[in-house]
Amino acid sequence: MDTASLVINRRESIMGWFSRTSKKEIDKKSEDLFVVCRGCKSHIFKEEFNKNLKVCPKCNFHERLTYKERLDLIVDEGSFREFNAHISITDPLEFVDGKGKYIDKAAAAKSKTGMNEAIVTGSGNINNIRVVLGIMDFRFLGGSLASGTGEKILLAAEHALRMKRPFILFSASGGARMHEGIISLMQMAKTCAGISKLDKAGIPYISVMTDPTFGGVSASYATVGDINIAEPGAMIGFAGRRVIEQTIKQKLPDNFQTSEYLLEHGFLDAIVNRSEMKDYLHKVLMYCSRKKS
Ligand SMILES: [Zn+2]
């Protein structure tokens, strides 16, 4: 390198010290490096957060997972076979609201998530025990329950019945999907009817509630498990806190509608940390199979 280029390089690097980094760039860089915990607002290194299964190492806040992340945590590698992936939304009401058409929103949700509906169903192994799984994803229109979602749950329950395999369903939902009106509400009865057949056949159904599980989902298949469990801190309820407070004209406790509150009041059988979920489910499955034999 000649002297002239050395001088230029030196000048550029000195200028670099004084050049301004915009706030946007700083925010982008910090977003790449850190996540802000929604529970305690701590900044955590993204790598550490991801390694810890998206659980805050400081306050144990469980961040929401995509269906794929959840699947990777729960099933043995390479054992999952999805079924009914083609089932998608219907638009019987040709629903339009102030923010546009349902069909367009659904198309955006599909391209964002790579899913056709708010749930993925299939068969997989949990420490070598074959089960039928349903995993909801809140990113798809708030994990809402509609005709496609209900149909997939029913078919999964029927598959579990045919194959005599336990059915495990992870809920993450804001409730029934208003865009499909009463058809969405009908799914509450339809899914429960499917699940009740498992009960009659003595096949275990385990419901795992994750943040959030609300509305028509909490009022149907999410709370009718032989075993109902939840992740720590998950918000679980029917109507929202404000609606209830306004209706009953009373202040509700701070931890109202959290999984801890529900456990205390007998609505849950256990709260299970994400890191222990697979082993916990395996233990339950082993217990169920021993009980049967
Ligand atoms: Zn935290």
Side-chain angles (χ1 to χ4, degrees):
M1 195 180 280
D2 59 27
T3 324
S5 12
L6 265 178
V7 170
I8 291 166
N9 278 349
R10 178 100 181 117
R11 189 182 295 159
E12 275 173 1
S13 67
I14 290 170
M15 289 306 286
W17 297 348
F18 297 106
S19 67
R20 285 190 180 186
T21 312
S22 70
K23 189 173 176 307
K24 223 177 178 181
E25 279 176 288
I26 295 172
D27 285 350
K28 175 82 188 68
K29 275 182 191 161
S30 92
E31 251 174 49
D32 290 343
L33 268 180
F34 297 102
V35 287
V36 179
C37 166
R38 290 198 290 130
C40 66
K41 308 290 174 225
S42 300
H43 281 69
I44 306 146
F45 275 116
K46 209 171 194 174
E47 207 183 320
E48 186 190 358
F49 187 63
N50 289 340
K51 221 184 258 174
N52 206 33
L53 317 174
K54 292 196 171 173
V55 175
C56 174
K58 292 184 181 160
C59 72
N60 202 34
F61 179 83
H62 281 50
E63 187 51 89
R64 291 170 189 165
L65 295 182
T66 66
Y67 82 89
K68 183 75 181 58
E69 289 167 335
R70 176 108 31 217
L71 198 57
D72 290 346
L73 280 181
I74 296 300
V75 300
D76 301 347
E77 208 181 329
S79 69
F80 187 71
R81 297 284 172 272
E82 185 177 359
F83 42 66
N84 300 316
H86 63 283
I87 295 176
S88 188
I89 66 136
T90 52
D91 188 11
L93 305 177
E94 296 176 359
F95 190 90
V96 183
D97 64 11
K99 289 179 189 160
K101 290 180 183 171
Y102 168 40
I103 206 98
D104 294 339
K105 284 183 202 163
K110 280 184 197 180
S111 74
K112 185 171 84 178
T113 58
M115 305 166 81
N116 279 330
E117 249 302 347
I119 190 165
V120 161
T121 53
S123 291
N125 291 356
I126 294 181
N127 294 341
N128 293 321
I129 299 179
R130 196 81 179 152
V131 297
V132 176
L133 278 164
I135 300 179
M136 300 192 78
D137 193 320
F138 192 74
R139 295 172 307 153
F140 193 102
L141 299 172
S144 47
L145 170 67
S147 58
T149 339
E151 182 69 4
K152 286 180 89 167
I153 293 171
L154 176 71
L155 291 174
E158 285 177 347
H159 183 84
L161 182 69
R162 258 196 323 277
M163 307 303 286
K164 297 194 172 23
R165 283 179 189 148
F167 184 27
I168 303 174
L169 208 160
F170 288 80
S171 295
S173 174
R177 192 178 302 159
M178 63 167 186
H179 312 77
E180 292 188 26
I182 192 129
I183 312 276
S184 292
L185 296 180
M186 287 173 181
Q187 307 310 311
M188 294 168 65
K190 182 165 117 179
T191 51
C192 285
I195 286 163
S196 74
K197 287 187 200 162
L198 296 178
D199 185 41
K200 280 176 202 136
I203 294 166
Y205 166 58
I206 304 167
S207 169
V208 186
M209 286 165 256
T210 72
D211 183 62
T213 299
F214 263 83
V217 170
S218 72
S220 62
Y221 58 85
T223 45
V224 296
D226 296 307
I227 294 182
N228 296 316
I229 59 177
E231 283 194 333
M235 294 303 292
I236 303 161
F238 182 63
R241 178 193 190 93
R242 212 180 40 198
V243 175
I244 301 173
E245 280 185 338
Q246 280 168 1
T247 311
I248 63 169
K249 310 247 182 293
Q250 272 180 44
K251 178 102 184 69
L252 294 163
D254 285 344
N255 67 345
F256 183 67
Q257 293 182 325
T258 60
S259 41
E260 289 72 15
Y261 185 88
L262 265 67
L263 180 71
E264 217 174 280
H265 291 81
F267 281 86
L268 286 177
D269 296 304
I271 294 174
V272 183
N273 274 312
R274 189 169 288 164
S275 57
E276 293 150 15
M277 186 62 82
K278 185 173 179 177
D279 286 341
Y280 183 91
L281 290 173
H282 180 243
K283 251 187 240 167
V284 172
L285 294 169
M286 290 293 286
Y287 175 76
C288 293
S289 64
R290 263 208 303 273
K291 240 186 128 197
K292 240 194 296 177
S293 54

